[in-house]
Amino acid sequence: MCLCRPPPGAAAPAAERAYAHVKELVLTDSLSGGTMVSEGDIAAQLSMSRTPVREAFLRLESEGWLRLYPKRGALVVPVAAGEAQSVVDARLLLEVHAVEALRHRDDRERLEERLRASIEQQRAALDRGDIDAYAEHDTEFHLTIVAAGGNPLLTSFYVTLRERQRRMVARSLWRDEGRARAFVTQHEHLAAAVGAGAVAEFKVALRRHLDHAHLPERAAAAVDAR
């Protein structure tokens, strides 16, 4: 996501507004993978000409979110086969490493406190029926864990995964509040393991949590095998 912002009180350029709008639709799964979208549709939604929308589409294509087809529109690129597994594996490594790095009890307790504050925000979002806000808080919950490890290089790498994570969370929830509340309960378990310094327990719980959230087929297979 672009970090450039217009000065306070200034309107964002039309192309930037179109870019942010379409990307938000993709990341929240309002435009699902495989969907075709036209410049005209977006221009009408934003009450602007097609020219800035075309610029936005080109930028989104360069980032891998859209695939352009002349005179037909743009295809929202689906999540690639194996991408979910790759992201889950990367997240597991980074988050477990961060918890392992917390050598002092005070550091673990401070992190647990921040995680529990995030959990309350997640619940509040679900109570008001805002799944998109929940997804944002979910992403921040896990980023907080990685950042607590104190390794800026790993945190920076994790940040590059945030958009992919956000899209995956939106897809995995399928607007299902019941599943989201189950994930909040799993977050509580993770927070408790952090506070207790129980790294092995945290790793097992995190793997289960990520599998349930992003790899439902694998999670179901694990249940059937028991």
Side-chain angles (χ1 to χ4, degrees):
M1 185 175 294
C2 178
L3 298 179
C4 301
R5 298 182 184 278
E16 184 66 32
R17 287 191 288 118
Y19 166 82
H21 175 72
V22 177
K23 192 166 192 178
E24 183 71 9
L25 294 177
V26 173
L27 295 183
T28 59
D29 207 43
S30 298
L31 281 175
S32 302
T35 301
M36 290 292 295
V37 59
S38 73
E39 294 173 4
D41 291 338
I42 300 302
Q45 291 174 23
L46 298 177
S47 300
M48 62 174 60
S49 71
R50 294 190 180 195
T51 299
V53 176
R54 186 173 303 118
E55 293 178 28
F57 276 19
L58 288 169
R59 183 175 169 188
L60 290 163
E61 182 183 44
S62 72
E63 295 178 357
W65 299 110
L66 298 182
R67 186 176 301 129
L68 303 187
Y69 293 91
K71 299 182 180 180
R72 291 178 55 196
L75 175 76
V76 179
V77 177
V79 175
E83 181 176 333
Q85 181 68 66
S86 296
V87 172
V88 164
D89 289 345
R91 289 181 61 178
L92 185 71
L93 288 171
L94 293 173
E95 293 184 47
V96 171
H97 182 275
V99 174
E100 288 175 336
L102 299 175
R103 305 296 185 185
H104 302 293
R105 178 178 176 181
D106 288 349
D107 292 335
R108 295 194 298 269
E109 291 180 347
R110 279 194 293 269
L111 177 55
E112 181 183 9
E113 183 178 349
R114 292 197 297 272
L115 295 177
R116 292 198 180 279
S118 173
I119 289 168
E120 290 307 309
Q121 291 179 312
Q122 294 165 36
R123 281 208 177 92
L126 293 175
D127 287 344
R128 61 178 184 269
D130 193 341
I131 293 289
D132 291 336
Y134 164 77
E136 281 289 312
H137 292 309
D138 174 277
T139 299
E140 292 298 331
F141 176 90
H142 291 280
L143 179 60
T144 296
I145 294 173
V146 175
N151 186 318
L153 292 178
L154 293 181
T155 301
S156 178
F157 172 61
Y158 194 87
V159 168
T160 67
L161 297 173
R162 290 182 67 181
E163 289 177 347
R164 293 181 184 277
Q165 294 164 15
R166 186 179 174 201
R167 187 185 188 193
M168 287 170 58
V169 167
R171 293 180 71 254
S172 68
L173 294 176
W174 293 112
R175 326 311 295 172
D176 187 337
E177 182 181 325
R179 289 193 70 202
R181 290 192 183 278
F183 297 155
V184 173
T185 299
Q186 293 170 12
H187 287 166
E188 288 184 319
H189 188 183
L190 292 171
V194 166
V199 177
E201 179 181 347
F202 176 84
K203 182 176 182 179
V204 171
L206 180 61
R207 169 58 81 182
R208 185 181 303 118
H209 171 64
L210 295 178
D211 282 356
H212 287 178
H214 304 304
L215 304 171
E217 297 85 359
R218 176 172 169 176
V223 171
D224 293 342
R226 287 203 295 267

